[in-house]
Amino acid sequence: MLSRTDLRADCGSCFGLCCVALTFAKSADFALDKPAGEACPNLSQDFRCTIHSKLRTAGFQGCTVYDCFGAGQEISRRAGQTWREQPGQEMFAALPILRQLHELLWYLTEALEYKAFDAEVRAAIERVEGVSRTADLTTIDVMAERAAVNELLLKTSQLVRGKQSKKKERRGADLIGARLRGADLAKANLRGAYLIAADLRDADLRQADLIGADLRDADLRGADLTGALFLTQSQVNAARGDQATKLPQAVSRPPHW
């Protein structure tokens, strides 16, 4: 069974796959356009980023947000050779698919910690891990896998959070730019909520379900996310926070905070 460590990006063990396989669109996140399959001009011959220490100031904020859930190093390990030594199309096509499967495993390994539906969660982990080892990952129906796992994650969330008031049932809510400073959102259902640029300073988000919530530029300074359910490193990287922000143990404080 994969551990949380296996599901964290290890760029030093990867052939820079995200720097080649993914599309960049010139925007606030990327300083240039780059088609899928073409190496980023900042990628060196040894697969390291030449501007890693200044990505955000150089206009590559998107790179500091992206997280592959360990898919990059796993595909590199399986391939054994770099995309410079052999055609990389298979590796490039596999990256977004394995990333999604690893994301599901990230959620499931967290669900296992709650000991709510132990047998079901373990069975789901075994199934998704088996699927992730498929030789040709492009044949995987990722949406079907997500649907199956989602039902289990929903049950886990409801059990952990308990019954809450209607005010805390904000699944998929449009909270873009919302003024929620100091708000009591403990154990709230914020699954898929749009919290882009929301003011969440000093908000209580303990044990809130944040799976799929869009936290881009959300202000989390001083907020308490202790025990927040299904929070990912990518979501945290996309938000703004400070040393006073309390995070679950599974995610790290971004260097740019």
Side-chain angles (χ1 to χ4, degrees), residues 70-87:
Q73 67 255 28
E74 176 59 18
I75 291 172
S76 298
R77 183 191 67 77
R78 293 181 191 180
Q81 291 182 303
T82 76
W83 47 269
R84 289 195 176 109
E85 298 168 308
Q86 62 176 342

Side-chain angles (χ1 to χ4, degrees), residues 209-223:
D209 187 341
L210 291 167
I211 194 168
D214 194 334
L215 294 171
R216 283 177 293 169
D217 290 322
D219 193 342
L220 295 175
R221 288 176 293 174

Side-chain angles (χ1 to χ4, degrees), residues 88-160:
Q89 283 71 24
E90 289 185 9
M91 284 188 277
F92 302 155
L95 179 64
I97 298 170
L98 188 60
R99 180 192 181 277
Q100 291 183 72
L101 294 174
H102 275 202
E103 180 183 0
L104 294 180
L105 290 170
W106 175 270
Y107 298 142
L108 287 167
T109 53
E110 178 178 333
L112 196 61
E113 297 173 2
Y114 301 126
K115 303 184 184 302
F117 304 98
D118 195 73
E120 289 182 71
V121 174
R122 288 185 182 278
I125 290 174
E126 184 176 345
R127 187 189 71 252
V128 176
E129 283 192 348
V131 169
S132 73
R133 290 191 288 270
T134 301
D136 183 1
L137 287 169
T138 60
T139 64
I140 303 302
D141 186 344
V142 179
M143 293 303 294
E145 294 300 327
R146 281 191 172 278
V149 168
N150 187 53
E151 291 300 315
L152 188 50
L153 299 179
L154 272 171
K155 291 198 302 183
T156 301
S157 174
Q158 289 166 355
L159 187 65
V160 173

Side-chain angles (χ1 to χ4, degrees), residues 7-255:
L7 299 171
R8 290 189 174 93
D10 178 8
C11 298
S13 300
C14 178
F15 299 141
L17 294 185
C18 65
C19 306
V20 186
L22 305 181
T23 298
F24 295 176
K26 189 172 183 179
S27 61
D29 290 325
F30 296 102
L32 47 78
D33 290 319
K34 184 194 80 64
E38 180 180 301
C40 173
N42 300 311
L43 185 67
S44 66
Q45 286 296 311
D46 64 354
F47 307 109
R48 299 296 180 266
C49 176
T50 59
I51 61 167
H52 185 266
S53 62
K54 54 181 181 180
L55 279 167
R56 295 180 77 86
T57 56
F60 289 85
Q61 178 175 308
C63 297
T64 68
V65 173
Y66 180 78
D67 180 68
C68 74
F69 292 97
Q73 67 255 28
E74 176 59 18
I75 291 172
S76 298
R77 183 191 67 77
R78 293 181 191 180
Q81 291 182 303
T82 76
W83 47 269
R84 289 195 176 109
E85 298 168 308
Q86 62 176 342
Q89 283 71 24
E90 289 185 9
M91 284 188 277
F92 302 155
L95 179 64
I97 298 170
L98 188 60
R99 180 192 181 277
Q100 291 183 72
L101 294 174
H102 275 202
E103 180 183 0
L104 294 180
L105 290 170
W106 175 270
Y107 298 142
L108 287 167
T109 53
E110 178 178 333
L112 196 61
E113 297 173 2
Y114 301 126
K115 303 184 184 302
F117 304 98
D118 195 73
E120 289 182 71
V121 174
R122 288 185 182 278
I125 290 174
E126 184 176 345
R127 187 189 71 252
V128 176
E129 283 192 348
V131 169
S132 73
R133 290 191 288 270
T134 301
D136 183 1
L137 287 169
T138 60
T139 64
I140 303 302
D141 186 344
V142 179
M143 293 303 294
E145 294 300 327
R146 281 191 172 278
V149 168
N150 187 53
E151 291 300 315
L152 188 50
L153 299 179
L154 272 171
K155 291 198 302 183
T156 301
S157 174
Q158 289 166 355
L159 187 65
V160 173
R161 293 185 302 107
K163 186 174 179 58
Q164 301 298 319
S165 67
K166 288 185 178 181
K167 289 183 178 180
K168 292 190 176 182
E169 291 297 326
R170 308 305 301 273
R171 182 175 182 176
D174 182 351
L175 298 170
I176 297 175
R179 298 177 181 178
L180 296 167
R181 184 170 187 173
D184 175 12
L185 295 169
K187 297 187 176 181
N189 182 1
L190 293 167
R191 294 171 65 90
Y194 297 95
L195 290 158
I196 302 168
D199 184 357
L200 289 162
R201 286 175 292 173
D202 303 316
D204 185 354
L205 289 157
R206 290 175 296 171
Q207 291 189 300
D209 187 341
L210 291 167
I211 194 168
D214 194 334
L215 294 171
R216 283 177 293 169
D217 290 322
D219 193 342
L220 295 175
R221 288 176 293 174
D224 189 350
L225 290 89
T226 305
L229 277 64
F230 309 126
L231 184 67
T232 68
Q233 190 64 54
S234 183
Q235 286 173 298
V236 173
N237 291 347
R240 293 180 290 142
D242 59 14
Q243 293 303 308
T245 305
K246 296 179 181 178
L247 296 169
Q249 291 184 346
V251 295
S252 304
R253 194 176 307 278

